[in-house]
């Protein structure tokens, strides 16, 4: 049994500049929902590149990833 305080099933990543942990093998839409965000109302920069929505379902979050998540606000 490991004496580490971190679970082997969790990975570390950075979300909007804050260090976070999430389950390994989680895909981007599930992570957004876990963070309490509506995937239809956000734009995502993934490791420095804008990630087009068509790729979200196939994007598995990896250890050390950097995400910038911007909420889209409507108005006039």
């Amino acid at each position: 049994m490991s004496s580490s305080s971190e679970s082997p099933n969790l990975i570390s990543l950075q979300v909007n500049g804050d260090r976070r942990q999430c389950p390994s093998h989680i895909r981007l839409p599930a992570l957004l929902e876990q963070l309490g965000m509506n995937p239809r109302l956000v734009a995502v920069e993934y490791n420095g590149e804008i990630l087009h929505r068509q790729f979200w379902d196939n994007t598995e979050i990896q250890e050390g990833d950097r995400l910038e998540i911007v909420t889209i606000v409507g108005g006039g």
Side-chain angles (χ1 to χ4, degrees), residues 2-65:
S2 174
S3 62
S4 173
S5 61
E6 291 186 31
S7 169
N9 296 327
L10 293 177
I11 59 172
S12 294
L13 67 152
Q14 199 171 63
V15 178
N16 294 348
D18 295 327
R19 180 63 89 201
R20 301 273 186 131
Q21 289 191 324
C22 72
S24 59
H25 306 295
I26 193 169
R27 297 203 184 272
L28 180 57
L31 175 65
L32 293 172
E33 289 179 10
Q34 181 181 338
L35 294 171
M37 299 178 179
N38 182 338
R40 290 181 287 183
L41 300 177
V42 298
V44 177
E45 183 182 281
Y46 181 74
N47 294 329
E49 301 283 332
I50 296 296
L51 187 63
H52 294 281
R53 199 170 300 272
Q54 68 193 40
F55 301 116
W56 288 14
D57 287 336
N58 295 322
T59 300
E60 186 174 295
I61 304 302
Q62 304 291 320
E63 176 75 31
D65 279 349

